[in-house]
Amino acid sequence: MRKESAAQGNSTPVGHRLSPLLPLGTVIVVIAALVYLAAIPSPPSLMDDMDAVQAQIARNMLESGDWVTPRINGVRYLEKPPLKYWLIALSYAVFGIRDWVARLPVATSAVCLCWLVYRIGRWGICEPVGFYAGLVLACSVGLWLFTRVQFSDPILALTITLAIWSYFRCLEPTEDQHGRWSAVGAAAVGTGLLVKGLVALVFPVGTLLFYLALTHRLLDRETWQRLHPWKTVAIILGVAAPWHVVATLQNPPYFDFASSCEPFRWRGFFWFYFLNEHVFRFLGTRYPRDYNWVPLGLFWLLHAVWFFPWTAFVGGLRRLDIRPLDRASRLRLLAVCWIGVVIGFFSFSSRQEYYTLPCYPAIALLLGEAFARAGRAVDWGRKILLAVFLALTAALVGVLIAVRDLPGAGDISRALSPNPELYTLSLGHMADLTLAAFAYLKLPVTLAAVATVVGALVAWRLTGYRLALGLALAMILFFQAARQALIVFDPVLSSRELAQALQSAPPGGLIVDDQYYRFSSVFFYANRSGLLLNGRKTNLEYGSLAPDAPPVFISDGDLPRLWLSSQRWYLVAEEAQLRRVERLVGRQRLFLVKASGGKGLWTNQPLPGSLRAGRREG
């Protein structure tokens, strides 16, 4: 295979000379591992909502032997393809069923993604650009933030990045291994289809078509000879089709093309997965409607935050050449097409903050090149960062002074202001923060202040690769501060303590108030199923309509019959719902076992040391 070095004739001026002690690829992997793999051990625990759901689905697959149809609490869950569940389950098989093991596939994918971006920048432009691009991605806010939860997007971004790079290599005039690279790209697309569905095909194909149209090569015969379209289709189908076919056969009816989202009707896997989850989700008519949209302007502007602190160097971006003459210019144009396709797609579709993660590598490549060029833009970026870091330091110190006399021991949930209507957004819990809550976060805020001081000193004193490594150090310190904050928030974001109390209590049935997602970590840490009180909605609503759906859904009318029987039952619910439950079963039959994070575990029969409803543990 041809050595991956920058093509002759690349005209990118690079103002930085690098003198690392280790090979640059190794440096990127080490830094990325410090950021992503170092945060794997718990605490923080697996969170309620998607985090613990994904971990439990993988466990169900491993223990049941059904690797085709994902299930939650015995109910079919057909929203996403299974590759991430397979990866988690295989991790369980090797390391055991533990919460930190469930995080391994996403964290490892993030490390590999940073290394891959380094290789692309090195091959396409030059060594320093590859290094800075990998560093930008490894130490940016967005990638770190969106790997804290079991989102599929880091794995998807890895497959999309490999696919786009592979097909770009096929198109390069100096590449004589285009048949091999087209096979790699096709395998990457097929793998991506098993990660998050059709976007794994839409984004690479859309990017390439956009790029070919701009370079006037879309109709060239040589272009399609290099891309090997028929072999590509065969490989993609060979990788992705088997699961889709078997899933359709195991979840009939086989073909339903209904164009309406008629509620309370089972239409099988094909309709729900291909039409409902792809077409109707894009159009905003998916059933059930269990998601929210980030406002479009905010959706765009947040990318400046997701790539902090490196967005300060955006002034160093090179002018785009629509008719590029060298590989560096062509890669730059490809990156812009890549970003435009991904962000443009979600500008017209349902969107969450993390949906554009598949184009983060392209943004990192452009910012890495902007930083490598040095010059006046980087000097201005240093000044901007100095001002931003000083402002952040002043704000953090001000917060510490404001809460210095406030008590910060115990459960932080007492100081939060819940906004459940925002929880369909991935960062919805951020709106719960109050000034009083920062009294519980004094250590994380102090660590964050240290990180911003380091960042200010780095921006003031250092230049070149020392500046880049110094900013990476500041961000690693900041990420550790954020991790400490997540540990403080652990009782709020996770129900692990309730699950541990349930495991230690005498045997009994489990009832969970509201949907499965609300207390999903209880099911993971206790490793048991339960009844869902008013939980036949959102993600499990469609699966509950299947002919073989288990009878795990109950209503308020069913609760008194169960709770007032001679059998022992346990109820997990938000403390805010206690009055409603008391009206249903009577306060005298509610005994508190454990309270944590604004949630509680109650039983219908007294235990040694248990409290009556309405009283909290001291």
Side-chain angles (χ1 to χ4, degrees), residues 105-292:
V106 168
T108 305
S109 296
V111 175
C112 293
L113 183 62
C114 296
W115 177 83
L116 182 58
V117 167
Y118 155 74
R119 293 304 298 265
I120 295 173
R122 173 191 173 188
W123 169 84
I125 304 177
C126 62
E127 183 95 5
V129 168
F131 175 72
Y132 293 129
L135 201 63
V136 165
L137 189 60
C139 298
S140 60
V141 170
L143 187 61
W144 184 89
L145 185 63
F146 300 133
T147 51
R148 299 310 93 201
V149 183
Q150 292 292 332
F151 295 133
S152 303
D153 298 77
I155 308 175
L156 175 68
L158 181 61
T159 64
I160 288 176
T161 302
L162 180 58
I164 291 176
W165 183 39
S166 297
Y167 283 115
F168 181 68
R169 291 196 65 152
C170 292
L171 297 171
E172 280 298 286
T174 58
E175 181 58 66
D176 55 9
Q177 298 288 337
H178 45 82
R180 181 177 300 180
W181 282 105
S182 70
V184 173
V189 171
T191 303
L193 289 171
L194 293 175
V195 174
K196 205 173 180 180
L198 295 180
V199 291
L201 177 65
V202 171
F203 292 159
V205 170
T207 299
L208 283 173
L209 292 178
F210 192 13
Y211 170 77
L212 290 172
L214 289 178
T215 55
H216 305 287
R217 299 173 62 187
L218 184 60
L219 302 180
D220 287 353
R221 182 176 182 180
E222 182 185 359
T223 295
W224 296 101
Q225 288 176 338
R226 284 180 164 271
L227 291 175
H228 300 274
W230 298 117
K231 182 173 74 173
T232 291
V233 171
I235 294 175
I236 291 174
L237 291 176
V239 173
W243 174 77
H244 290 85
V245 171
V246 176
T248 300
L249 294 176
Q250 287 192 1
N251 298 275
Y254 301 143
F255 300 107
D256 189 324
F257 294 94
S259 59
S260 63
C261 299
E262 182 181 346
F264 304 115
R265 180 174 178 181
W266 172 256
R267 296 184 181 276
F269 167 82
F270 180 88
W271 177 87
F272 186 81
Y273 181 79
F274 287 104
L275 296 181
N276 195 54
E277 276 300 305
H278 288 87
V279 178
F280 298 155
R281 181 183 284 273
F282 178 81
L283 297 175
T285 59
R286 174 189 180 270
Y287 163 78
R289 180 66 180 267
D290 59 351
Y291 54 90
N292 212 331

Side-chain angles (χ1 to χ4, degrees), residues 54 57 70-72 75-79 85 517 539-540:
Q54 309 295 299
I57 290 175
R71 296 178 188 270
I72 301 177
V75 181
R76 301 181 197 219
Y77 180 81
L78 305 177
E79 293 191 3
Y85 311 138
Y517 270 47
N539 303 84
L540 291 189

Side-chain angles (χ1 to χ4, degrees), residues 30-109:
V30 169
I31 292 175
L34 286 174
V35 174
Y36 299 102
L37 296 180
I40 285 177
S42 58
S45 312
L46 289 176
M47 304 178 200
D48 290 321
D49 208 290
M50 182 183 295
D51 209 24
V53 166
Q54 309 295 299
Q56 186 63 12
I57 290 175
R59 171 192 267 168
N60 293 339
M61 282 189 164
L62 182 64
E63 293 179 345
S64 69
D66 183 357
W67 296 79
V68 175
T69 303
R71 296 178 188 270
I72 301 177
N73 203 37
V75 181
R76 301 181 197 219
Y77 180 81
L78 305 177
E79 293 191 3
K80 297 293 183 288
L83 183 58
K84 186 173 72 172
Y85 311 138
W86 294 347
L87 294 175
I88 297 174
L90 292 175
S91 300
Y92 287 157
V94 175
F95 300 105
I97 300 177
R98 300 178 178 89
D99 52 6
W100 65 267
V101 175
R103 295 190 175 106
L104 274 176
V106 168
T108 305
S109 296

